[in-house]
């Protein structure tokens, strides 16, 4: 399916090359922005510059992977309106398995590279050693974050079964969550902390593993093992959204012929 | 036991009436009062293996909604559907292996890919061995004459070429049942003919059961052996095509052009439909009076310069059925 997607893109050779060029320009500008941001950036609430670069890298690489695998779900209302979803439902395949590979976009690799570079540099400057625990802590937040982002895409898609028009509510959480995740949870107001710890657990899966990784004292009165609860929290979140999606499919009304 | 059995099938839609304005839209989000519309209202029928059924009705009659329930896309509000022993909406994936579907205005091919690549991909989705799919592609390419364009991207194909490719895509996995939703819409006469010829062959030699919705009465006349007419969600007619034709008697129309018309008394069961100058149109029931008899009668009184005999076309019959239903 991914192969087909690339092949399809390749068939517009010229626009394909231009598009690739565009990706690199945009990425370059992004990097410049980070640089200038860091120029004037002091440490925040006991978190140093490179620790914040790590948060940035973690957030954008996880988002890139989530977008590569599920971004097409953002276009669900369009997929329903143009009748494509009818076509999906008459094939012996799960709709997600059919749709998700279409998310594949080469420009997302630029964001991924950017994220990986950012976290790589921060590991280097912070002298993080490659111990089992540290790797586990990193993977805990990385994969949990991917699951949560994909769940948010899915929630957005499921909502279109009712509204037909795209709902921006979950988008706000996805991209708001990415912005939020660039800084440690401790700088935010109480209600924001509660929201991102328990309702949209982006904060949960980033803050605890990262705080343990960087040996921070302030865990908002949570026990240390919370870090390793992250994957379970993420999977539970996905489970709830999955049920919502299933109910949505049953409720699906299609469009006029 | 019919291949397709539909019993007391109903589908209700809730239609939201937003009376405009920001506040009302917001209210609509939380209190979905809405009005219930019965898109399909208690229909029952059975279709045997190998039948070729026309499923007709005016726009918004519930045709597409019925097809979408039969194919497992929509979940019925109530009632039963069993297709080849399977309840489509419950075992959607299992059902989909047994059916092929073509929605006339939609495509199941990948827009940027040549059809041949789409076919290979579909073969994988249906989990068929690639050798079997290869043979099937060759077979369908030959029958539908796809050779010339099977390797060009779909976006570059004409409407007729696209439709032939769609049919091939729907038949790759050798389904027992084929659902067609307006397959000839927008096609020219030649393209229509080639598609009709293919469908007839498919139905006769492969014994594929075909259910067709269309607004094109040519499709119905040339293809369907049975016609189900639906209006406002209810079945208002279900019979063989011959019985449909005969429903209002075996009506035929005789068109006569007189040299000079002089009044005479028409036989019983013959009515003048209209006349334009010296051209007269007589409608008669051929079960009650034979055409030669009528012509003879006319010649006894008048000399004529031209004459032709036409069957009542199916479109007229369908229009009458719709109309009859509305006035009752």
């Amino acid at each position: 399916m991914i192969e087909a997607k690339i092949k399809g893109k390749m068939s517009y050779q010229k626009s394909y090359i231009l598009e690739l060029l565009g990706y690199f320009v945009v990425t370059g500008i992004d990097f410049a922005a980070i640089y200038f941001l860091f120029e004037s950036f002091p440490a925040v609430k006991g978190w140093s510059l490179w620790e914040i670069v790590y948060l940035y890298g973690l957030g954008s690489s996880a988002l890139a992977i989530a977008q590569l695998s599920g971004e097409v779900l953002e276009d669900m209302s369009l997929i329903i309106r143009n009748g494509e979803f009818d076509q999906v439902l008459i094939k012996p395949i799960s709709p997600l398995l059919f749709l998700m590979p279409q998310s594949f976009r080469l420009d997302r690799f630029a964001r991924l590279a950017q994220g990986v570079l950012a976290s790589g540099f921060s590991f280097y400057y912070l002298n993080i050693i490659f111990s089992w625990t540290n790797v586990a802590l990193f993977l805990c937040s990385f994969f949990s974050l991917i699951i949560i982002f994909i769940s948010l895409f899915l929630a957005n898609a499921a909502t279109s079964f009712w509204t037909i028009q795209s709902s921006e509510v979950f988008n706000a959480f996805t991209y708001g969550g990415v912005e939020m995740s660039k800084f440690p949870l401790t700088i935010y107001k109480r209600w924001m902390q509660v929201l991102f710890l328990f309702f949209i657990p982006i904060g949960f899966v980033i803050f605890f593993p990262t705080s343990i990784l960087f040996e921070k004292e302030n865990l908002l009165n949570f026990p240390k093992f919370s870090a390793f609860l992250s994957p379970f929290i993420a999977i539970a979140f996905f489970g709830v959204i999955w049920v919502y999606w299933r109910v949505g499919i049953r409720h699906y009304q299609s469009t006029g012929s | 036991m019919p291949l397709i059995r539909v019993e007391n099938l109903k589908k209700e839609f809730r239609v939201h009436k937003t009376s405009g304005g920001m506040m009302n839209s917001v209210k609509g989000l939380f209190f979905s009062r809405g009005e219930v519309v019965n898109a399909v209202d208690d229909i029952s029928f059975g279709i045997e293996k190998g039948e070729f059924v026309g499923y007709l009705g005016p726009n918004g009659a519930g045709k597409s909604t019925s097809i979408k329930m039969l194919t497992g896309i929509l979940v019925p509000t109530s009632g039963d559907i069993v297709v080849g022993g399977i309840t489509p909406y419950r075992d959607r994936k299992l059902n989909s292996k047994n059916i092929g579907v073509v929605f006339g205005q939609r495509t199941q091919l990948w827009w940027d890919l040549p059809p041949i690549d789409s076919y290979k991909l579909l073969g994988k989705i249906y989990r068929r061995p690639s050798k079997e799919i290869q043979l099937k592609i060759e077979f369908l390419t030959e029958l539908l004459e796809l050779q010339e364009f099977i390797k060009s991207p779909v976006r570059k194909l004409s409407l007729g070429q696209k439709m032939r490719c769609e049919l091939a895509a729907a038949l790759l996995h050798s389904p027992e049942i084929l659902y067609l939703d307006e397959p000839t819409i927008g096609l020219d006469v030649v393209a229509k003919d080639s598609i009709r010829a293919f469908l007839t062959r498919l139905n006769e030699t492969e014994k594929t059961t075909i259910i067709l919705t269309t607004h094109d009465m040519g499709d119905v006349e040339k293809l369907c052996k049975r016609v189900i007419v639906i209006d406002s969600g209810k079945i208002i007619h279900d019979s063989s095509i011959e019985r449909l034709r005969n429903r209002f008697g075996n009506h035929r129309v005789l068109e006569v052009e007189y040299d000079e018309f002089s009044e005479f008394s028409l036989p019983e069961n013959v009515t003048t439909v209209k006349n334009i100058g010296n051209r007269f149109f007589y409608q008669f029931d051929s079960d009650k009076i034979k055409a030669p008899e009528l012509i003879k009668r006319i010649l006894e009184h008048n000399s004529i310069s031209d004459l032709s005999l036409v069957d009542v076309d199916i479109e007229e019959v369908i229009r009458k059925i719709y109309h009859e239903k509305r006035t009752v």
Side-chain angles (χ1 to χ4, degrees):
Chain A
M1 206 82 92
I2 290 172
E3 190 191 324
K5 172 96 184 181
I6 295 176
K7 212 169 159 189
K9 267 246 151 76
M10 289 289 209
S11 70
Y12 301 90
Q13 274 150 11
K14 265 188 202 140
S15 71
Y16 172 76
I17 290 166
L18 276 177
E19 225 176 306
L20 258 186
L21 210 68
Y23 306 155
F24 286 113
V25 173
V26 171
T27 319
I29 294 170
D30 239 13
F31 268 119
I34 305 162
Y35 177 79
F36 289 121
L37 192 72
F38 290 168
E39 278 274 271
S40 51
F41 219 101
V44 183
K45 289 237 169 178
W47 288 61
S48 75
L49 203 66
W50 284 108
E51 285 168 347
I52 283 167
V53 173
Y54 169 79
L55 290 180
Y56 175 89
L58 180 69
S60 45
S61 44
L63 180 65
I65 301 267
Q67 284 178 325
L68 274 166
S69 32
E71 199 182 13
V72 76
L73 295 171
E74 298 255 89
D75 301 328
M76 195 62 186
S77 58
L78 186 69
I79 291 170
I80 289 176
R81 258 180 292 153
N82 67 21
E84 201 185 327
F85 199 66
D86 289 350
Q87 298 286 2
V88 177
L89 286 178
I90 52 169
K91 301 215 159 56
I93 186 173
S94 124
L96 288 184
L97 222 57
F98 185 89
L99 289 172
M100 282 172 68
Q102 295 178 32
S103 308
F104 192 85
R105 275 174 55 179
L106 283 174
D107 59 334
R108 293 305 174 211
F109 281 100
R111 173 173 266 155
L112 182 62
Q114 192 182 314
V116 170
L117 276 177
S119 8
F121 275 115
S122 62
F123 276 135
Y124 176 77
Y125 282 106
L126 292 168
N127 291 318
I128 304 279
I129 46 154
F130 279 86
S131 68
W132 282 113
T133 330
N134 285 352
V135 171
L137 283 169
F138 168 75
L139 292 180
C140 260
S141 19
F142 186 61
F143 284 109
S144 309
L145 205 49
I146 294 173
I147 293 174
I148 293 175
F149 283 142
I150 292 178
S151 309
L152 285 169
F153 291 147
L154 189 62
N156 195 23
T159 307
S160 351
F161 288 126
W162 282 277
T163 59
I164 301 294
Q165 264 140 48
S166 170
S167 92
E168 296 298 321
V169 179
F170 292 99
N171 265 343
F173 287 124
T174 319
Y175 298 101
V178 173
E179 292 306 310
M180 189 275 316
S181 71
K182 288 179 185 169
F183 300 101
L185 203 58
T186 38
I187 72 162
Y188 295 104
K189 290 222 167 81
R190 195 76 198 158
W191 68 268
M192 281 269 280
Q193 290 177 355
V194 171
L195 175 69
F196 284 106
L197 280 176
F198 301 112
F199 294 97
I200 316 285
I202 294 175
F204 194 104
V205 305
I206 295 177
F207 181 68
F208 296 120
T210 312
S211 295
I212 308 277
L213 189 66
F214 298 153
E215 293 163 350
K216 301 289 169 197
E217 297 298 325
N218 185 354
L219 286 181
L220 298 166
N221 299 324
F222 276 81
K224 277 193 172 185
F225 67 79
S226 303
F228 293 100
L229 287 180
S230 301
F232 300 101
I233 297 273
I235 289 167
F237 183 67
F238 178 77
V240 172
I241 305 284
W242 173 255
V243 171
Y244 178 49
W245 162 261
R246 293 304 307 174
V247 173
I249 285 197
R250 274 193 71 88
H251 192 272
Y252 175 57
Q253 299 208 332
S254 187
T255 45
S257 62
Chain B
M1 177 83 181
L3 182 62
I4 300 174
R5 191 170 55 81
V6 172
E7 249 162 59
N8 305 109
L9 188 66
K10 272 190 192 179
K11 179 73 187 173
E12 290 174 354
F13 287 120
R14 206 168 276 278
V15 181
H16 299 277
K17 279 198 174 163
T18 35
S19 37
M22 178 73 181
M23 272 323 282
N24 281 321
S25 316
V26 174
K27 247 195 238 166
L29 270 178
F30 300 102
F31 312 101
S32 50
R33 277 168 302 170
E35 211 170 281
V36 173
V37 173
N38 295 313
V40 170
D41 192 2
D42 198 5
I43 63 171
S44 306
F45 57 82
I47 292 173
E48 301 290 338
K49 184 172 168 50
E51 279 200 78
F52 200 139
V53 181
Y55 198 66
L56 313 180
N59 289 326
K63 298 187 301 277
S64 288
T65 306
S66 320
I67 298 284
K68 281 172 186 167
M69 285 192 281
L70 285 167
T71 50
I73 293 172
L74 292 180
V75 180
T77 306
S78 66
D80 291 320
I81 312 176
V82 181
V83 178
I86 299 164
T87 303
Y89 63 93
R90 224 171 273 147
D91 290 306
R92 188 184 60 78
K93 287 186 212 169
L94 200 59
N95 180 58
S96 65
K97 288 186 180 181
N98 205 18
I99 63 168
V101 188
V102 175
F103 291 117
Q105 288 151 303
R106 310 266 160 79
T107 179
Q108 57 184 316
L109 302 166
W110 280 262
W111 195 244
D112 294 327
L113 295 183
I116 182 95
D117 289 2
S118 285
Y119 296 158
K120 285 177 182 158
L121 220 59
L122 284 170
K124 282 187 188 134
I125 288 173
Y126 284 93
R127 295 174 189 281
R128 289 305 176 97
S130 55
K131 198 154 201 182
E132 181 196 312
I133 288 295
Q134 192 56 46
L135 285 174
K136 195 78 189 182
I137 293 174
E138 279 165 29
F139 175 73
L140 289 166
T141 304
E142 174 105 23
L143 266 183
L144 285 159
E145 293 168 36
L146 310 177
Q147 297 89 342
E148 275 172 49
F149 45 84
I150 196 167
K151 286 181 179 136
S152 346
V154 172
R155 67 189 135 89
K156 290 186 178 157
L157 305 186
S158 76
L159 203 57
Q161 292 171 334
K162 226 178 286 170
M163 186 45 69
R164 273 140 72 194
C165 291
E166 290 288 338
L167 275 172
L171 294 167
L172 274 180
H173 55 291
S174 317
E176 210 181 342
I177 304 168
L178 180 63
Y179 297 100
L180 302 168
D181 197 359
E182 307 205 25
T184 56
I185 196 163
L187 299 187
D188 64 51
V189 188
V190 182
K192 270 185 194 174
D193 276 347
S194 84
I195 283 177
R196 285 172 187 164
F198 173 77
L199 291 176
T200 306
R201 200 203 113 100
L202 185 74
N203 177 246
E204 278 166 10
T205 61
E206 318 266 319
K207 298 284 172 257
T208 304
T209 310
I210 304 180
I211 290 115
L212 167 94
T213 83
T214 185
H215 286 292
D216 187 319
M217 292 308 148
D219 287 348
V220 179
E221 250 168 311
K222 296 219 167 77
L223 298 171
C224 304
K225 291 169 195 145
R226 173 180 168 193
V227 175
I228 298 175
V229 184
I230 177 171
D231 191 18
S232 312
K234 288 187 192 303
I235 290 179
I236 54 174
H237 183 91
D238 180 358
S239 77
S240 68
I241 189 96
E242 290 84 22
R243 282 198 37 213
L244 177 71
R245 233 191 268 275
N246 295 345
R247 179 169 160 148
F248 298 95
N250 209 350
H251 285 300
R252 307 181 85 184
V253 171
L254 181 69
E255 185 187 339
V256 180
E257 188 156 359
Y258 295 104
D259 290 332
E260 202 175 312
F261 179 68
S262 63
E263 203 66 55
F264 69 101
S265 67
L266 286 168
E268 247 179 278
N269 301 316
V270 179
T271 50
T272 311
V273 187
K274 60 178 175 184
N275 67 317
I276 309 162
N278 277 345
R279 272 172 58 204
F280 281 70
F281 295 79
Y282 300 113
Q283 191 177 51
F284 63 100
D285 186 340
S286 60
D287 290 338
K288 289 177 182 143
I289 180 167
K290 294 278 171 257
E293 207 176 311
L294 175 63
I295 294 167
K296 195 177 146 217
R297 185 72 169 269
I298 290 168
L299 287 171
E300 279 168 13
H301 297 271
N302 282 290
S303 69
I304 63 174
S305 58
D306 195 12
L307 150 160
S308 70
L309 194 56
V310 279
D311 281 325
V312 171
D313 66 346
I314 217 84
E315 191 159 0
E316 188 63 31
V317 178
I318 300 279
R319 199 177 296 130
K320 269 188 181 161
I321 292 178
Y322 293 171
H323 184 73
E324 196 177 63
K325 157 91 194 341
R326 295 253 159 85
T327 48
V328 165

